[in-house]
Structures are given as C-alpha cells and as structure tokens.
Amino acid sequence: KSPKPNITINNSQPMEGEDSLALTCEPEINYATYLWKINNQTILDGDRLKLSKNNRTLTLFNVTRNDTGPYECETQNP
C-alpha cells in the first residue's frame, strides 16, 4: 500500500477574493494519477479550479473562506 499523500500549499495566508492558491499532492510519483476530494466529493476542473496535467496540483483562483477544505488527495498507480 502506498503511503498516504500529503498536501503542500504555496500560500498560508492568502488574501480573500484576490489570491490564488496552489495545493500540491506529495510525493511526486511517476505515472501516477492524482485524485482530489473535498468532503468526499471528487474535485473536477471548474471555473475557479484548475488541475495540472496529471492532477498533481490543484489551483484555486480568487480564494474565498468557503474554500477552506478539508482537501484530500489520493494517488492512483497505473
């Protein structure tokens, strides 16, 4: 079983409504696919959400206090 991933955040004090926030799932695993969830709901690309190529980084634009999470990420190995 792979270790439980942890999430790093590029900005611990974002300005509400202005800053974007990048959440990165660690560790980086070659060929793995990352899956993001919030409150057990899978997160998909949206208006204010951008997922990187293999979903490892989740970017939230114009963060609000409703974006606090908790976020979870899972890795799926091929």
Side-chain angles (χ1 to χ4, degrees):
K1 184 156 165 49
S2 52
K4 185 158 171 48
N6 68 318
I7 297 171
T8 58
I9 301 178
N10 70 340
N11 183 348
S12 58
Q13 303 267 304
M15 285 288 296
E16 185 172 19
E18 291 180 23
D19 288 349
S20 56
L21 205 53
L23 284 65
T24 304
C25 193
E26 307 285 356
E28 181 168 16
I29 302 168
N30 285 335
Y31 308 114
T33 310
Y34 296 86
L35 187 67
W36 289 88
K37 289 184 176 173
I38 181 169
N39 300 325
N40 290 318
Q41 302 282 315
T42 303
I43 297 176
L44 302 170
D45 259 0
D47 296 334
R48 295 190 308 111
L49 297 174
K50 187 84 189 107
L51 288 162
S52 65
K53 187 176 52 148
N54 60 353
N55 291 0
R56 184 168 170 239
T57 302
L58 171 69
T59 305
L60 305 168
F61 298 100
N62 298 331
V63 289
T64 71
R65 64 193 63 213
N66 299 330
D67 293 329
T68 46
Y71 293 89
E72 296 171 69
C73 94
E74 295 170 13
T75 55
Q76 298 175 314
N77 287 324

